[in-house]
Amino acid sequence: MNLSKSKYTLGVRCCKLLWLSMFKKEEASEVESDSVLESGNLVGELARHLFGDTYTLIDFDKGFDNMIKDTIIALEDSPNIICEASFAYDNNFCSIDILKNDSDGVEVYEVKSSTDIKDIYIDDISYQVWVLKKNGLKVKNAYIVYVNSDYIKDGELDIHKYFKIKNVTNILNLDVVLENITKFKDILRNKTEINTDLSLSCKNPYPCPFFSYCTRSLPRPNVFDVGCSTFFSKKLDMYYQGKVTYEELLKTNAFSDKAREQMMFELYDLEPKIDKPSIKSLLDSFTYPLYFLDFESYQEAIPKIDGTRPYQQICFQYSLHYYLEEGGKLYHKEYLSCDYNGNPMYGLSKQLCDDIPLNSCILVYNDSFEKTRLKEMALLFPDYSSHLLNIRDGIKDLLPPFKNHQYYVKEMYGSASIKKVLPALFPNDKTLDYHNLEDVHKGDEASNAYLSLSKLSKDKEEKLRTNMLKYCWLDTYAMVKIYNKLKEDIK
Ligand code: SF4
């Protein structure tokens, strides 16, 4: 029975997760997107230059046996740097991202594309160090290399400032590696599905893709369907106490008023709740001309644009609906950058300042996102800074009535996300159904679409751009519809 470091870490997270990943992959609800994997690979490739541009790369395509043989040869060249150095001991395999092969021992560098260190990384590198030691190598130190979220690109990327390196030698979990390996191999030899109860590992450090599968026998709705920002630990606590159905949960005092309200609405099929005075007071604070704005953005692990940080949201598109006067005609403007290799935020900022006059009232859905983007762009572009900050100051939010349950219908299922609120308010309106769009139905698809545009033929690029515009158009049109519905329902 073979074990790799990825299987080892799956087992540490949850034994059932390891078993299901091996024998019931088809039950996983989602897989990591290509863009996440790609960004991890790019960060890994960049880190290979941490000790200079001279290193030996063990060729992954040659298969594991040849990788191990090539590693043995490379190790003789000490001192040197070996990337993807590969080892096996008793059918436990691992490739080391960067092995610093000094004359008096080796140092292990495990590269992560995240901006913090998760506990599971320690188990990951512990397994690698254990395999190395079993191969007779003297491991002097073990390090996690991860991304410095405070790094701001200024000219050529400074790899030593971009990465952070933490020495984890003294916190390795070496004592449990053998015990774990024996347990995990036993599990994988067993063709019968193992039984492991739910735990915090189901959501931490990553949401488990088998969560729907593992909770499939619970009655619906159940404790894990409670929304309203309820902590997973609280839901788990109730589940362990055997309180799973909404009837059982409502007999406890464990949940917030909003969560209780969600359960009551679904259980007793309650009529919509509309707190007219609160909503009226919010709507009365809006002035005309009235704008409805939505940005689309992408994130990249390795910043390409000067003045930006790793994973900063880079805006490339917006949609803007607006009324010049109450009850008047609805207008629309939009922007989608063509500057695929430059800074899309520049053209976007320029046109946004043309499209939204000073001192306007601008509606968004969940204002922290747009406000933060406007502040970042104001810092980047002094020419537009005061206008962008003026737009930021004019922003009003359409989210609070839904988040605060001043407007609540049971089909919101405890969520105030616009993607839940819209179908809840307009269940039969096909024009508002994101499923009817082509290519782009949600934010991450819009990001991936933008990042792919430069690689497409002219025809495909045009078609995708059209579908991106339709998607963003619908985001602000949805806000217009929600705004008008609020106005109508408080009459
Ligand atoms: S959902 Fe939880 S119990 Fe099920 S496999 Fe994932 S981590 Fe394990």
Side-chain angles (χ1 to χ4, degrees):
M1 176 59 59
N2 299 338
L3 208 67
S4 62
K5 66 173 181 173
S6 55
K7 279 187 193 157
Y8 180 84
T9 49
L10 284 179
V12 171
R13 283 169 61 192
C14 168
C15 292
K16 190 171 182 181
L17 169 59
L18 171 65
W19 192 93
L20 290 171
S21 305
M22 192 73 187
F23 299 113
K24 279 203 170 172
K25 267 196 201 103
E26 68 285 359
E27 298 293 349
S29 57
E30 67 221 25
V31 287
E32 229 164 30
S33 78
D34 287 349
S35 61
V36 173
L37 295 174
E38 193 183 332
S39 97
N41 291 341
L42 291 174
V43 171
E45 283 167 20
L46 182 66
R48 290 174 187 162
H49 299 269
L50 271 169
F51 302 101
D53 294 335
T54 308
Y55 56 83
T56 302
L57 176 62
I58 304 298
D59 187 354
F60 192 78
D61 294 334
K62 285 170 125 183
F64 224 90
D65 287 346
N66 287 323
M67 290 175 80
I68 292 170
K69 282 182 196 153
D70 289 351
T71 301
I72 292 168
I73 296 167
L75 281 169
E76 285 166 11
D77 248 351
S78 142
N80 60 348
I81 300 293
I82 310 171
C83 299
E84 301 300 329
S86 301
F87 300 88
Y89 174 77
D90 195 18
N91 289 330
N92 302 298
F93 297 91
C94 71
S95 293
I96 313 286
D97 289 337
I98 304 170
L99 188 77
K100 190 160 173 284
N101 179 29
D102 296 336
S103 44
D104 60 342
V106 298
E107 293 191 318
V108 177
Y109 291 81
E110 169 68 14
V111 182
K112 298 293 182 192
S113 57
S114 69
T115 56
D116 57 8
I117 294 183
K118 298 174 175 51
D119 290 346
I120 195 72
Y121 299 169
I122 307 299
D123 291 293
D124 184 344
I125 199 164
S126 298
Y127 170 82
Q128 298 173 47
V129 169
W130 185 86
V131 173
L132 287 190
K133 288 192 167 190
K134 289 294 180 190
N135 272 269
L137 273 76
K138 181 183 171 199
V139 182
K140 295 187 297 176
N141 282 301
Y143 300 90
I144 305 273
V145 179
Y146 61 112
V147 175
N148 175 10
S149 57
D150 294 329
Y151 171 71
I152 297 178
K153 184 174 179 287
D154 181 14
E156 199 164 318
L157 190 104
D158 184 336
I159 186 173
H160 298 287
K161 289 186 179 154
Y162 172 77
F163 283 114
K164 281 182 167 178
I165 300 178
K166 184 174 167 71
N167 188 334
V168 294
T169 316
N170 293 332
I171 52 170
L172 293 177
N173 298 324
L174 289 174
D175 294 349
V176 294
V177 175
L178 180 59
E179 191 185 317
N180 279 342
I181 286 174
T182 310
K183 181 164 77 176
F184 300 159
K185 285 187 175 177
D186 279 349
I187 286 166
L188 291 177
R189 270 188 212 104
N190 195 344
K191 295 283 179 287
T192 317
E193 183 171 334
I194 62 159
N195 216 352
T196 309
D197 205 357
L198 304 174
S199 70
L200 288 176
S201 297
C202 303
K203 296 288 169 186
N204 190 11
Y206 315 104
C208 177
F210 293 103
F211 191 73
S212 297
Y213 177 77
C214 289
T215 52
R216 69 195 182 287
S217 321
L218 296 178
R220 295 301 299 268
N222 62 59
V223 63
F224 297 109
D225 296 312
V226 177
C228 307
S229 309
T230 308
F231 286 125
F232 183 70
S233 54
K234 180 174 281 185
K235 298 180 192 181
L236 205 53
D237 198 25
M238 288 294 112
Y239 165 80
Y240 287 149
Q241 291 180 34
K243 290 165 185 159
V244 171
T245 64
Y246 283 5
E247 286 95 336
E248 290 160 337
L249 298 171
L250 280 168
K251 286 181 195 150
T252 74
N253 289 322
F255 290 88
S256 68
D257 289 348
K258 281 191 275 180
R260 293 181 68 82
E261 194 163 55
Q262 178 203 341
M263 291 188 265
M264 300 276 286
F265 266 72
E266 289 172 45
L267 209 48
Y268 304 114
D269 204 8
L270 300 182
E271 288 297 304
K273 168 189 160 186
I274 305 172
D275 175 354
K276 293 186 180 182
S278 302
I279 296 170
K280 183 172 186 316
S281 134
L282 175 75
L283 298 189
D284 284 348
S285 72
F286 303 163
T287 54
Y288 287 81
L290 184 59
Y291 293 83
F292 301 79
L293 175 66
D294 184 65
F295 289 142
E296 298 302 329
S297 63
Y298 68 84
Q299 293 175 284
E300 282 187 312
I302 304 171
K304 291 196 186 82
I305 300 168
D306 276 358
T308 64
R309 297 181 312 278
Y311 297 107
Q312 182 168 327
Q313 300 278 0
I314 309 293
C315 295
F316 56 84
Q317 179 179 12
Y318 68 76
S319 170
L320 185 71
H321 276 93
Y322 60 102
Y323 290 113
L324 292 176
E325 61 201 0
E326 183 155 19
K329 184 180 166 195
L330 180 66
Y331 296 91
H332 181 252
K333 289 185 176 175
E334 61 196 354
Y335 180 83
L336 174 54
S337 176
C338 297
D339 191 5
Y340 305 142
N341 298 313
N343 185 347
M345 294 182 289
Y346 181 79
L348 181 144
S349 297
K350 184 172 182 296
Q351 189 176 316
L352 193 68
C353 292
D354 286 344
D355 286 348
I356 302 181
L358 288 169
N359 306 319
S360 298
C361 181
I362 303 116
L363 299 190
V364 298
Y365 203 90
N366 197 1
D367 63 357
S368 61
F369 181 81
E370 270 76 14
K371 280 182 169 174
T372 309
R373 302 294 81 79
L374 285 161
K375 191 175 167 196
E376 288 164 350
M377 290 190 278
L379 280 170
L380 282 173
F381 310 122
D383 289 354
Y384 304 115
S385 178
S386 61
H387 198 132
L388 290 170
L389 290 176
N390 183 276
I391 292 173
R392 180 179 181 272
D393 291 343
I395 282 185
K396 304 263 185 183
D397 201 349
L398 262 180
L399 172 73
F402 302 102
K403 191 171 177 196
N404 301 332
H405 286 202
Q406 291 156 351
Y407 196 115
Y408 192 79
V409 298
K410 77 171 169 26
E411 290 81 6
M412 285 164 56
Y413 301 110
S415 169
S417 144
I418 195 164
K419 299 287 192 293
K420 279 271 164 29
V421 169
L422 194 64
L425 265 54
F426 304 96
N428 301 316
D429 191 336
K430 287 197 168 48
T431 64
L432 297 175
D433 189 342
Y434 283 85
H435 296 101
N436 293 331
L437 296 172
E438 211 180 320
D439 291 330
V440 185
H441 314 84
K442 50 191 183 142
D444 59 342
E445 290 178 0
S447 313
N448 292 338
Y450 180 74
L451 292 171
S452 73
L453 284 172
S454 65
K455 299 164 208 151
L456 299 179
S457 66
K458 208 73 211 143
D459 286 358
K460 286 188 175 160
E461 178 197 349
E462 272 318 304
K463 180 171 177 277
L464 189 54
R465 284 181 67 89
T466 303
N467 289 333
M468 291 171 72
L469 291 170
K470 283 183 185 167
Y471 166 74
C472 201
W473 179 93
L474 184 52
D475 271 347
T476 48
Y477 186 64
M479 278 193 267
V480 173
K481 292 287 284 188
I482 289 171
Y483 167 69
N484 285 325
K485 173 104 176 118
L486 290 178
K487 268 175 58 179
E488 193 59 35
D489 287 353
I490 60 164
K491 272 183 189 164

